[in-house]
């Protein structure tokens, strides 16, 4: 087994999809959680001045999507064929867009936040979830008949956005996505992680 160190802030954010996939794959790693006050002092020493970082046997990889694809391959969550892998990537990008839209709200001027939040809650999120629901199967998988990074990305991004005081539609309205979430939570490694992970404010 390679020596793995994963570095991100002490919160879910962009880091949690990768942590959950590491758990799903039973991959042992050092979970380094930075307080934001420590980040400024180490930023210039990182490859691109951004988190998260994944260090594998001394080699450092940055950019959350690149890290996610690496972990997915190592954990057997990437898809079996090139087409399957492309489909997984497609869903991961779509699910990530839900988080990105939510995160953007918190950097807006106060006068603009409420309007932007309402648009996400009432229009953008329901539309995106409806599209994703059509792409998932009735068995609760986006690609094939087993868990992939696509399923993990949907569940984690939906959960993370909900933790940001964003009122997302219930997955009861999207039966295929509800089944995806159930399949993700049923994975033994993920179930253990969700039960034992550090409690954070976001």
């Amino acid at each position: 087994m390679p020596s793995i160190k994963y570095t991100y802030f002490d919160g879910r954010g962009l880091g949690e999809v990768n942590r959950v996939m590491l758990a799903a794959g039973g991959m042992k790693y050092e979970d380094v959680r930075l307080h934001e006050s420590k980040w400024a002092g180490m930023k210039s020493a990182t490859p691109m001045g951004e988190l998260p970082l994944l260090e594998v046997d001394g080699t450092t990889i940055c950019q959350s999507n690149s890290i996610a694809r690496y972990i997915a391959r190592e954990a057997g969550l990437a898809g079996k064929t090139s087409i399957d892998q492309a489909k997984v990537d497609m869903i991961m990008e779509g699910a990530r867009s839900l988080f990105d839209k939510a995160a953007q709200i918190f950097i807006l001027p106060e006068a603009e936040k409420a309007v932007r939040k309402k648009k996400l809650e009432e229009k953008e999120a329901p539309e995106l979830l409806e599209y994703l629901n059509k792409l998932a199967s009735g068995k609760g998988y986006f690609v094939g008949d087993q868990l992939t990074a696509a399923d993990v990305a949907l569940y984690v991004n939906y959960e993370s956005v909900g933790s940001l005081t964003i009122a997302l539609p219930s997955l009861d309205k999207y039966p295929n996505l509800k089944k995806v979430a159930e399949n993700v939570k049923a994975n033994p490694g993920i179930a253990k992680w969700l039960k034992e992970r550090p409690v954070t404010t976001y």
Side-chain angles (χ1 to χ4, degrees):
M1 290 286 290
S3 173
I4 300 175
K5 180 166 71 173
Y6 185 65
T7 303
Y8 190 63
F9 298 113
D10 188 20
R12 299 178 200 173
L14 293 177
E16 195 66 5
V17 168
N18 292 327
R19 292 189 187 117
V20 173
M21 286 199 295
L22 285 162
M27 300 169 66
K28 296 185 181 299
Y29 68 102
E30 181 182 356
D31 186 16
V32 180
R33 292 169 175 260
L34 291 180
H35 188 277
E36 292 186 13
S37 62
K38 295 183 178 180
W39 168 235
M42 65 175 288
K43 181 176 181 178
S44 62
T46 64
M48 294 185 184
E50 297 178 351
L51 292 178
L53 300 173
L54 184 74
E55 187 175 318
V56 182
D57 289 338
T59 298
T60 301
I61 303 166
C62 66
Q63 297 297 326
S64 56
N65 287 340
S66 296
I67 294 170
R69 291 184 179 102
Y70 170 81
I71 295 172
R73 289 192 295 270
E74 294 298 301
L77 300 170
K80 295 178 180 179
T81 68
S82 294
I83 288 295
D84 284 351
Q85 290 165 12
K87 289 180 179 179
V88 169
D89 286 347
M90 175 183 73
I91 300 301
M92 291 185 75
E93 294 288 346
R96 165 71 182 270
S97 72
L98 180 64
F99 180 88
D100 288 343
K101 290 177 186 296
Q104 289 165 8
I105 294 171
F106 295 90
I107 61 174
L108 290 173
E110 286 298 324
E112 299 177 25
K113 286 182 179 179
V115 173
R116 187 68 188 84
K117 182 172 181 284
K118 182 177 181 181
K119 182 179 180 182
L120 175 61
E121 292 175 341
E122 297 183 2
K123 184 176 187 297
E124 294 175 334
E127 284 183 353
L128 176 59
L129 292 173
E130 185 61 43
Y131 280 119
L132 291 172
N133 188 62
K134 292 176 182 178
L135 290 168
S137 73
K139 294 182 179 180
Y141 300 107
F142 280 108
V143 179
D145 58 359
Q146 64 185 42
L147 197 71
T148 67
D151 307 309
V152 173
L154 180 279
Y155 170 76
V156 174
N157 280 287
Y158 178 87
E159 180 199 47
S160 294
V161 170
S163 75
L164 297 174
T165 68
I166 304 294
L168 293 177
S170 169
L171 290 186
D172 289 338
K173 297 181 179 179
Y174 312 98
N176 294 345
L177 297 186
K178 184 177 181 179
K179 185 61 178 175
V180 167
E182 291 170 353
N183 287 338
V184 172
K185 291 185 288 185
N187 175 274
I190 294 175
K192 184 174 186 294
W193 171 252
L194 295 178
K195 182 179 179 180
E196 299 177 357
R197 67 183 173 185
V199 177
T200 58
T201 56
Y202 65 92

